[in-house]
Amino acid sequence: MTEAILLVGGKGTRLRPLTVHTPKPMVRAAGVPFLTHQLARARAAGVDHIVLATSYLAEVFEPYFGDGSALGLHIEYVTEDEPLGTGGAIRNVASRLHSGPDDPVLVFNGDILTGLDIGRLVATHEATAADVSLHLTRVTDPRAYGLVPTDGTGKVLAFLEKPQTPEEIVTDQINAGAYVFRRSVIDTIPQGRPVSVERETFPGLLSAGAHLQGMVDSTYWLDLGTPAAFVRGSADLVLGRAPSPAVPGRCGDRLVLPTARVAPDAKLTGGTVVGEGAFVAEGARVFGSTILPGAVIEPGAVITDSLIGARARVGERSVLTGTVIGDGAIVGPDNELRDGVRVWCDARIPAGAVRFSSDQ
């Protein structure tokens, strides 16, 4: 196993305003762009050549990662002029692969945080002589996902749309967003048009008699598509619940990056990250949150399960819970922002302008 494709072209619309200026895989989780964790885990599993399938804000990736040598990788970049979907993106980068027709090629979605045993997935693929192998995970409530039932040997039986009734929930196994393709199978994907592997490629292969193998691995899995999930994923990386060799420091309750400043009596817990050049002032309390580079948390502010964008400012005594503050935004003193609030980049909220409780 030597090469992989990473699908990093999505617009990350569910994550806005985090993705207004930054593509989703480059939003920082545990102090580094989330993509860094995926690249480091792939390298640790023996991958040395990775092709990034980019589209939205494609110009951001190469200046940061270069040729990949700092991570022990050889990285290439392919940009889609128009979004091609998961299958179309895989086909679009096929010319950059070096594998032989029967060699395995790893494919990862760029927004999944997982503890997947990559080597075991490849070993399963080779031992079963599969055309495509899929990482499957079990979820408590599968209604929001497409279902992937398998037989007793792990062979995929069907790809089922999101269940609408209890009777349609025939398994708790879902597609977890990591695959191993036989190299020759990638060449069968139509070229130059949008293709979904979930809705077109995999069902088509199954109906044509191809061997699709599922491997269940439920160690840790999180779709980082929403702000709440992204904040939780970052905290889990810092706390050591989610494995990554790329966390820039020891796992624990907090991660304070170089050049960040934290007042002695400020309290940081729950996997909180304070990015480079950020400042957390006296009396502030921050739990399970991400403070991006250059942000300022003023005295007495209380921030829980939230993400504060680069160069943003949270005013004195403001209380934020489950909120996202865009890059450069300013939340004035004495505001209360609760679950689901998103403050757009460079917005200004005056002192005491938003509250959920009385002024007493």
Side-chain angles (χ1 to χ4, degrees):
M1 179 182 59
T2 60
E3 58 187 351
I5 299 168
L6 256 167
L7 305 175
V8 293
K11 291 185 176 180
T13 51
R14 291 186 297 158
L15 278 177
R16 287 179 175 263
L18 300 181
T19 52
V20 170
H21 304 302
T22 307
K24 177 167 53 177
M26 295 298 288
V27 178
R28 288 176 178 249
V32 297
F34 174 67
L35 180 56
T36 310
H37 300 289
Q38 291 186 305
L39 293 171
R41 293 201 73 242
R43 181 69 192 96
V47 175
D48 57 22
H49 177 220
I50 292 184
V51 185
L52 296 187
T54 67
S55 178
Y56 176 65
L57 296 176
E59 67 278 5
V60 172
F61 294 92
E62 190 167 2
Y64 189 90
F65 291 107
D67 64 3
S69 57
L71 291 170
L73 291 164
H74 172 49
I75 297 178
E76 294 187 68
Y77 305 83
V78 177
T79 301
E80 303 163 22
D81 296 326
E82 297 291 335
L84 294 172
T86 47
I90 293 168
R91 182 67 180 88
N92 191 51
V93 306
S95 63
R96 303 295 184 93
L97 299 173
H98 309 315
S99 301
D102 291 325
D103 290 339
V105 178
L106 273 159
V107 179
F108 298 105
N109 282 344
D111 54 2
I112 301 295
L113 177 59
T114 176
L116 168 67
D117 185 337
I118 298 170
R120 180 170 157 243
L121 180 63
V122 175
T124 298
H125 175 81
E126 294 179 328
T128 58
D131 294 299
V132 181
S133 296
L134 297 86
H135 170 209
L136 307 179
T137 192
R138 292 191 173 100
V139 293
T140 304
D141 184 359
R143 289 176 297 177
Y145 305 95
L147 309 183
V148 187
T150 55
D151 68 12
T153 68
K155 193 171 183 179
V156 174
L157 300 175
F159 291 90
L160 306 176
E161 290 297 320
K162 296 176 183 177
Q164 303 298 312
T165 65
E167 292 74 25
E168 293 177 313
I169 302 176
V170 298
T171 180
D172 59 356
Q173 296 175 176
I174 66 166
N175 177 355
Y179 320 111
V180 182
F181 277 76
R182 187 191 301 271
R183 169 67 180 86
S184 57
V185 172
I186 292 176
D187 292 329
T188 68
I189 300 173
Q191 193 167 11
R193 68 169 177 85
V195 180
S196 164
V197 291
E198 300 87 353
R199 296 181 180 86
E200 182 177 344
T201 304
F202 293 157
L205 286 168
L206 206 57
S207 63
H211 177 185
L212 276 67
Q213 185 73 21
M215 188 198 80
V216 176
D217 182 321
S218 298
T219 47
Y220 181 98
W221 185 85
L222 186 63
D223 177 349
L224 300 183
T226 66
F230 201 97
V231 170
R232 187 164 88 249
S234 177
D236 283 349
L237 284 161
V238 174
L239 292 166
R241 295 171 180 165
S244 170
V247 176
R250 295 178 60 185
C251 291
D253 242 10
R254 55 191 270 175
L255 176 64
V256 179
L257 277 294
T259 72
R261 294 180 297 133
V262 177
D265 66 343
K267 188 175 182 180
L268 310 178
T269 58
T272 288
V273 183
V274 183
E276 295 92 338
F279 175 55
V280 180
E282 59 272 12
R285 290 179 287 151
V286 188
F287 177 86
S289 298
T290 295
I291 313 300
L292 290 182
V296 175
I297 311 302
E298 295 187 352
V302 180
I303 298 172
T304 304
D305 299 336
S306 298
L307 191 146
I308 311 303
R311 303 172 309 284
R313 179 179 290 267
V314 177
E316 295 182 68
R317 299 173 300 281
S318 281
V319 178
L320 278 60
T321 303
T323 63
V324 175
I325 308 301
D327 295 343
I330 296 177
V331 178
D334 300 308
N335 281 288
E336 289 180 86
L337 305 181
R338 289 191 181 174
D339 292 341
V341 169
R342 305 182 190 214
V343 177
W344 232 248
C345 299
D346 300 314
R348 302 287 188 272
I349 298 180
V354 179
R355 299 189 64 84
F356 285 82
S357 61
S358 73
D359 58 2
Q360 301 302 313

